Amino acid sequence: MKKIFAVVLIAVAFAMPSKAQFSWGIQAGLNMTNISTEDGAASVNSRTGFFVGPTVKFTLPIVGLGIDASALYDQREGKAGDETLKAQSLQIPINVRYGFGLGSIAEVFAFAGPQFGFKLGGDSDTSIAGTKVSEWTLKSSNLSANVGIGATIMSKLQVKANYNFALGKTGEVNAWDATKNALQNAGSAKFNSWQISLAYFF
């Protein structure tokens, strides 16, 4: 994990020309997560989660082009049987953005980029009427991607909406097989989210 984090920091450093303009702030938002398994054996009803943390943006000398990055505490939830599945992680999105607008008054932009996730918690057993029906084991790290749009007002207030989609499995799930009277592997699970966020830059 340390090696991956170091590579991310080096990539951002090389992407920043000396004339780049730098701003930092606080970002918070909501996750509307869809949790799915390979064969649908484990039924999960999606719920709303949240994320919060520091964020930075770099405006590059090339007109309209920039980079933003964040370090976010992220919680995503799903309802399975009588239990609520909560996946907690550190998420580090690094997005390339292209915007246009009225100088410092307002800007509209589109963005896309990778997101690196590191598990903080979330392994869970779910049950119905006291009987265990599934086991969730999340990966210690995962990779996803973002694509979205946003707007900035007076260089201070920013709102974004995006779709975050898994580029690999987020975890593994075992589901109850009544014919074998045992928990059986139900394949990999993926967490995809619609996200909306608000940020304030100092």
Side-chain angles (χ1 to χ4, degrees), residues 2 7 28 33 35-37 47 66 81 84 111 124 126 139 176 191 201:
K2 292 181 180 179
V7 169
T33 305
I35 303 173
S36 61
T37 57
R47 298 182 62 172
T84 299
F111 64 92
S124 177
T126 61
K139 292 182 63 180
W176 185 261
F191 289 48
F201 289 92

Side-chain angles (χ1 to χ4, degrees), residues 92-174:
I92 304 175
I94 302 175
N95 299 307
V96 175
R97 49 195 282 166
Y98 182 79
F100 57 91
L102 302 174
S104 61
I105 298 175
E107 179 195 38
V108 176
F109 59 90
F111 64 92
Q115 181 164 302
F116 304 88
F118 305 95
K119 183 179 76 171
L120 300 176
D123 292 347
S124 177
D125 297 335
T126 61
S127 62
I128 297 177
T131 301
K132 184 159 65 171
V133 295
S134 65
E135 294 176 337
W136 296 84
T137 304
L138 303 181
K139 292 182 63 180
S140 59
S141 63
N142 60 77
L143 178 64
S144 60
N146 295 307
V147 59
I149 57 173
T152 304
I153 300 173
M154 302 297 293
S155 300
K156 295 290 187 180
L157 192 63
Q158 177 181 273
V159 61
K160 295 196 298 186
N162 68 278
Y163 187 62
N164 172 252
F165 55 96
L167 296 179
K169 65 181 180 180
T170 309
E172 296 281 351
V173 59
N174 292 323

Side-chain angles (χ1 to χ4, degrees), residues 21-143:
Q21 296 181 353
F22 168 84
S23 300
W24 71 275
I26 300 295
Q27 179 179 357
L30 296 177
N31 288 314
M32 290 154 280
T33 305
N34 174 40
I35 303 173
S36 61
T37 57
E38 283 181 336
D39 59 5
S43 177
V44 181
N45 296 318
S46 300
R47 298 182 62 172
T48 300
F50 68 93
F51 54 91
V52 61
T55 185
V56 295
K57 65 177 179 179
F58 308 95
T59 302
L60 305 180
I62 301 174
V63 176
L65 193 63
I67 296 173
D68 65 53
S70 305
L72 305 171
Y73 171 79
D74 182 288
Q75 180 171 297
R76 306 187 185 195
E77 297 188 7
K79 187 73 172 179
D82 296 332
E83 305 293 331
T84 299
L85 174 66
K86 294 183 179 181
Q88 297 121 13
S89 63
L90 170 66
Q91 295 290 330
I92 304 175
I94 302 175
N95 299 307
V96 175
R97 49 195 282 166
Y98 182 79
F100 57 91
L102 302 174
S104 61
I105 298 175
E107 179 195 38
V108 176
F109 59 90
F111 64 92
Q115 181 164 302
F116 304 88
F118 305 95
K119 183 179 76 171
L120 300 176
D123 292 347
S124 177
D125 297 335
T126 61
S127 62
I128 297 177
T131 301
K132 184 159 65 171
V133 295
S134 65
E135 294 176 337
W136 296 84
T137 304
L138 303 181
K139 292 182 63 180
S140 59
S141 63
N142 60 77
L143 178 64

